[in-house]
Amino acid sequence: MSTTYRSAGLARRTESLTSSAIRDLLALTARDDVISLAGGLPATDLIPVDRIAAAAEAVLRRPDAVQYCETSGHRTLRGVIAARESLVRGGVSVPVESVIVTHGSQQALTLLAQALIDPGAVVVVDEPAYTGALQVFSIAEASIESIPITDTGMDTDELERRLTAGLRPAVVHTVANFHNPRGVTMSEQRRRHLAALADRYGFWVIEDDPYGEIYFDTTEFGVGAPPPIACLSDRVIRLSSASKILAPTLRVGWFVAPPSVCGAVELLKQGADLCGSSMTQSMAAEMLADTSWLDAHLDVLRREYACRATALTSALVAEFGDRLSVSRPAGGMFAWATFLDGTDTGELLDAALDHGVAFVPGTAFASGAQYRHSLRLSFAGSTPTALAEAVRRLGAAHSASTRAT
């Protein structure tokens, strides 16, 4: 599914470039007759377009919204993010200077890779992993080491065994809250363990958290997820984004990091884009600072996504029974499922597209043979009725694929 780019006259690093399998799949699923469970897109019907329009009208009355801003981001937005990050960390003050605003969190990850990773350096990722991270670290010419994740997040015991045996990563990247693609959340015990390992061995942890605000099962952790890994070590860099809770089109992401990292990334960013959009950053600041509105908006997202997650997983269980193991998401946008009857989801995808439904095969996230039977399904972008129909089509595709073999 992915495309490799190589051409004479281009830099050597372009020889290893591959297009994201998910991005390629999105192009194939743009047809109106396809219900796509493939992309990690927030629900279009839940994007607060009226509030975004009001924010745009308000900020355009200010001259600073149409001018260049600091490379590190509009100071008002950085202040709002610092205040929100302080709340997440239990009231521990986060200085504005430790916040860098980027053109989405993917740019943050790219700039951090440039700042922290030399060619050939080891980077540890989850297995299965967020494909955007794999793409970034491949471009950085890192040596990628995968650590399996379980229902409680990255297996930090396995990480410690490899560290003891001599593994020396520059960076460990993990999606600790409502993992993409697995949907699981790292336990507090494993967060503490990972932070302690970072302190002992001197690597950086990139805590990628675009989904932490979208929680809907509060039974295990009380409210939301456990405290951030960044609360536990100074060697943790936290990434987040407005894309999943406000709108992707704002292209507002950010990270919080120690001064040395922020300074290096700011210099790199000067060479990349000089600065981001003052207008969209000011709009994001206005909406994130409007706490009464934002809290009500997040309540709607959590309630609706919880309903959609239940609709999808219940339909899968009803359709496939014990032939399919299905995760029960406590937040975020994804469910992970594994066929127990030997179904190859790469082959199933072709039949699924013929039946008008799309998903992402597990092999897009990891190369192990066991992932040939898994798939990631996004419940965020479809209504419960559409999700039920998508699962019906998937069942028909599975039956057709089984008969064909």
Side-chain angles (χ1 to χ4, degrees):
M1 182 66 67
S2 62
T3 304
T4 301
Y5 295 93
R6 183 173 182 175
S7 177
L10 298 181
R12 178 173 56 84
R13 70 175 62 89
T14 64
E15 295 181 2
S16 63
L17 293 183
T18 58
S19 176
S20 165
I22 297 174
R23 290 291 163 185
D24 290 346
L25 183 57
L26 289 179
L28 294 175
T29 59
R31 305 194 324 255
D32 290 339
D33 61 328
V34 174
I35 302 175
S36 179
L37 309 181
L41 281 64
T44 302
D45 58 307
L46 299 179
I47 290 174
V49 290
D50 290 341
R51 184 66 182 86
I52 292 170
E57 182 177 359
V59 303
L60 282 173
R61 299 179 188 280
R62 304 199 302 264
D64 65 324
V66 292
Q67 245 323 339
Y68 289 111
C69 65
E70 298 174 74
T71 301
S72 54
H74 198 285
R75 182 156 286 268
T76 302
L77 176 58
R78 292 169 69 205
V80 171
I81 292 168
R84 289 180 61 81
E85 188 71 14
S86 298
L87 289 174
V88 172
R89 300 185 187 210
V92 176
S93 179
V94 173
V96 172
E97 290 70 26
S98 68
V99 177
I100 301 289
V101 180
T102 56
H103 191 73
S105 61
Q106 188 71 12
Q107 188 193 45
L109 190 57
T110 298
L111 293 171
L112 286 166
Q114 293 178 34
L116 303 176
I117 301 166
D118 289 319
V122 174
V123 173
V124 168
V125 298
D126 300 317
E127 182 185 85
Y130 165 52
T131 57
L134 294 176
Q135 198 171 34
V136 164
F137 298 141
S138 176
I139 292 171
E141 301 180 74
S143 174
I144 299 174
E145 185 93 3
S146 299
I147 301 291
I149 61 172
T150 70
D151 290 344
T152 54
M154 179 182 284
D155 186 346
T156 54
D157 292 330
E158 174 61 22
L159 175 60
E160 182 171 22
R161 282 190 286 271
R162 297 194 199 180
L163 292 168
T164 301
L167 182 70
R168 292 295 179 268
V171 167
V172 172
H173 174 274
T174 189
V175 182
N177 294 332
F178 318 125
H179 186 268
N180 178 8
R182 278 289 312 278
V184 301
T185 295
M186 182 182 282
S187 67
E188 184 170 356
Q189 178 182 359
R190 285 191 163 173
R191 291 172 192 239
R192 292 187 178 280
H193 192 195
L194 179 56
L197 292 173
D199 288 340
R200 187 189 317 167
Y201 289 95
F203 56 79
W204 291 103
V205 175
I206 296 180
E207 181 181 11
D208 206 342
D209 187 25
Y211 312 107
E213 297 270 24
I214 311 173
Y215 55 83
F216 36 83
D217 184 344
T218 61
T219 57
E220 184 175 356
F221 305 119
V223 177
I229 307 169
C231 293
L232 307 170
S233 171
D234 292 334
R235 299 200 63 80
V236 180
I237 301 164
R238 262 177 60 78
L239 273 65
S240 195
S241 168
S243 293
K244 302 303 189 288
I245 62 172
L246 295 179
T249 193
L250 294 173
R251 304 314 302 137
V252 171
W254 57 84
F255 70 86
V256 182
S260 60
V261 176
C262 290
V265 168
E266 186 171 358
L267 291 175
L268 290 165
K269 194 172 187 299
Q270 286 175 8
D273 65 4
L274 294 179
C275 68
S277 166
S278 297
M279 185 177 76
T280 59
Q281 290 184 24
S282 297
M283 291 165 59
E286 171 153 322
M287 289 182 279
L288 293 174
D290 187 353
T291 54
S292 59
W293 171 82
L294 182 62
D295 288 345
H297 171 63
L298 289 173
D299 283 345
V300 171
L301 288 185
R302 292 164 188 153
R303 183 173 63 251
E304 289 294 328
Y305 283 179
C307 179
R308 294 176 187 203
T310 298
L312 174 64
T313 55
S314 297
L316 288 168
V317 170
E319 179 71 33
F320 294 102
D322 58 8
R323 293 174 294 169
L324 188 72
S325 171
V326 184
S327 69
R328 296 287 184 173
M333 301 171 64
F334 306 107
W336 180 259
T338 300
F339 279 100
L340 306 179
D341 60 2
T343 296
D344 185 313
T345 55
E347 296 176 359
L348 175 61
L349 178 59
D350 291 334
L353 289 170
D354 288 341
H355 283 77
V357 63
F359 59 84
V360 184
T363 51
F365 308 98
S367 59
Q370 68 270 32
Y371 298 108
R372 291 173 49 237
H373 310 300
S374 297
L375 63 162
R376 190 196 74 177
L377 303 154
S378 176
F379 50 78
S382 300
T383 65
T385 300
L387 290 167
E389 172 61 17
V391 173
R392 186 198 67 77
R393 295 182 186 185
L394 185 62
H398 183 266
S399 297
S401 178
T402 301
R403 287 196 301 272
T405 57

